[in-house]
């Protein structure tokens, strides 16, 4: 038996409140836009100030602001700090807006000894470094259950890195460690890297070295604020990481699944435990946030329409 189209339409209207709105009805704005994301308020101040024609939408407590940034349509929002928040809000944006690219801007800890506070790092790829197995400690050392597969990367004590199986992976498929930034977006980042002027001083404290933009290499993310010299050395040796944060790899993961181009700009606010004195994040957080935003604005301006 086939129901007339009008009857089907009425049934859909009745069912929607019960089963949720269909995906097409959840869109808040159809304009193709670049998603510009930061984790927490200090990181997004300069980006909000530079966005014109602002219009805000509230979704489950998250404020999404549409507008124009450097002449390009954008939706700017805070992901919230750490991995689950970042994945959740990125997916919310993809569901409710017409997202063409995902750009993350914020601060991070430096892992590469050749980098300094204030530098902006644009990594080629991101790993979730604490996606891992915690091994049993025995008289013979740390031992994993035979069924546990690791990423064949060196362990840090009881912590053995593991890869991630994506939704829909076939049984036995290799687990993924790295989540890539988009090659075309990386090319654009390289084009603008030498053209931006970055801040060297914050209030009465200036950096020893003039900051620079570095494109390439590896980044890692985990739901941990890292301020430990030994683990920092481990990340450099094992993951060849240049930078560590708490969100980028989660956003890269969502972007890969959704087939949306992704890139992250991270300015170093501290050295993740590698400095001689106390952690300097709060001293240089504003400077690092503004340096990242400066590069992101130049990057968005350079994007093709």
């Amino acid at each position: 038996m086939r129901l007339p189209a009008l009857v089907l339409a009425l049934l859909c209207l009745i069912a929607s409140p019960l089963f949720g709105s269909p995906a097409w009805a959840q869109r808040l704005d159809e304009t193709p836009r670049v998603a510009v994301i930061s984790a927490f308020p200090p990181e997004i101040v300069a980006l909000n100030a530079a966005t014109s024609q602002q219009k805000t939408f509230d979704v489950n407590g998250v404020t999404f602001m549409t507008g124009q940034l450097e002449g390009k349509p954008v939706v700017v929002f805070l992901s919230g700090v750490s991995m689950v928040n970042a994945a959740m809000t990125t997916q919310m944006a993809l569901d409710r807006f017409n997202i063409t690219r995902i750009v993350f801007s914020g601060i991070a800890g430096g892992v590469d000894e050749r980098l300094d506070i204030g530098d902006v790092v644009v990594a080629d790829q991101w790993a979730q470094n604490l996606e891992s197995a915690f091994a049993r400690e025995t008289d013979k050392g740390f031992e994993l259950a035979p069924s546990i597969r690791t990423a064949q990367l060196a362990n840090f004590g009881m912590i053995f890195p593991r890869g991630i199986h994506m939704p829909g992976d076939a049984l036995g498929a290799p687990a993924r460690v790295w989540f890539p930034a988009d090659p075309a977006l990386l090319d654009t980042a390289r084009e603008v890297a030498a053209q931006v002027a970055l801040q060297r001083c914050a209030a009465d404290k200036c950096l020893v070295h003039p900051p620079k933009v570095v494109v390439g290499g590896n980044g890692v993310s985990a739901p941990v604020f890292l301020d430990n010299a030994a683990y920092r050395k481990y990340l450099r040796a094992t993951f060849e990481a240049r930078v560590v944060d708490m969100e980028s790899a989660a956003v890269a993961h969502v972007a890969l699944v959704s087939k949306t181009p992704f890139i992250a700009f991270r300015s170093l606010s501290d050295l993740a435990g590698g400095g001689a004195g106390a952690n300097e994040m709060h001293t240089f957080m504003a400077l690092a946030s503004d340096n990242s935003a400066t590069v992101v604005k130049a990057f968005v301006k350079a994007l093709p329409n």
Side-chain angles (χ1 to χ4, degrees):
M1 173 180 168
R2 294 188 178 182
L3 294 174
L6 180 59
V7 174
L8 284 173
L10 289 172
L11 287 173
C12 288
L13 287 172
I14 294 169
S16 290
L18 298 175
F19 299 105
S21 299
W24 56 263
Q26 295 176 358
R27 280 282 179 89
L28 300 174
D29 179 276
E30 289 294 343
T31 302
R33 297 184 184 276
V34 179
V36 179
I37 314 171
S38 291
F40 73 127
E43 295 176 318
I44 207 168
V45 171
L47 294 168
N48 280 343
T51 303
S52 63
Q53 302 177 32
Q54 297 181 4
K55 182 178 179 180
T56 59
F57 303 84
D58 183 85
V59 182
N60 297 338
V62 179
T63 299
F64 296 92
M65 182 181 72
T66 60
Q68 293 278 324
L69 178 64
E70 298 294 339
K72 303 292 167 48
V74 295
V75 54
V76 183
F77 62 96
L78 292 174
S79 68
V81 173
S82 203
M83 306 284 276
V84 174
N85 277 333
M88 175 186 68
T89 51
T90 301
Q91 189 60 56
M92 287 169 64
L94 289 165
D95 289 343
R96 289 164 174 81
F97 298 90
N98 184 1
I99 304 298
T100 60
R101 307 171 185 92
I102 298 172
V103 179
F104 208 106
S105 177
I107 64 174
V111 179
D112 187 341
E113 300 85 354
R114 298 168 296 180
L115 300 177
D116 297 297
I117 290 175
D119 290 350
V120 177
V121 180
V122 191
D124 291 321
Q125 57 183 359
W126 293 85
Q128 300 176 38
N129 57 285
L130 280 182
E131 183 69 35
S132 56
F134 283 16
R136 179 188 296 259
E137 190 168 5
T138 72
D139 293 339
K140 298 177 182 179
F142 295 108
E143 294 185 2
L144 291 171
S147 61
I148 299 299
R149 295 183 180 181
T150 68
Q152 297 184 332
L153 295 169
N155 60 300
F156 184 80
M158 71 174 185
I159 304 172
F160 286 72
R162 302 183 68 193
I164 298 167
H165 283 100
M166 306 287 283
D169 279 352
L171 186 65
R176 176 181 291 275
V177 173
W178 296 102
F179 294 83
D182 180 74
L185 297 185
L186 287 167
D187 287 343
T188 302
R190 291 186 185 95
E191 292 172 7
V192 305
Q195 303 172 14
V196 293
L198 301 178
Q199 292 185 45
R200 186 171 178 176
C201 297
D204 59 347
K205 192 171 181 63
C206 292
L207 302 172
V208 175
H209 304 284
K212 57 189 177 295
V213 182
V214 179
V215 182
N218 298 336
V220 293
S221 306
V224 171
F225 179 82
L226 179 61
D227 192 29
N228 181 273
Y231 192 74
R232 176 183 188 258
K233 289 180 180 178
Y234 164 77
L235 289 179
R236 181 65 182 148
T238 305
F239 289 86
E240 298 182 0
R242 309 192 85 171
V243 61
V244 57
D245 68 31
M246 298 175 67
E247 296 88 21
S248 295
V251 178
H253 188 151
V254 174
L256 182 67
V257 173
S258 68
K259 298 180 173 60
T260 305
F262 159 85
I263 193 168
F265 297 80
R266 289 290 189 167
S267 184
L268 307 188
S269 60
D270 62 276
L271 299 180
N279 188 284
E280 296 184 282
M281 184 188 108
H282 287 287
T283 301
F284 291 108
M285 179 169 59
L287 180 148
S289 297
D290 287 347
N291 278 351
S292 181
T294 295
V295 183
V296 166
K297 287 186 287 184
F299 171 81
V300 170
K301 185 175 182 178
L303 287 174
N305 292 319

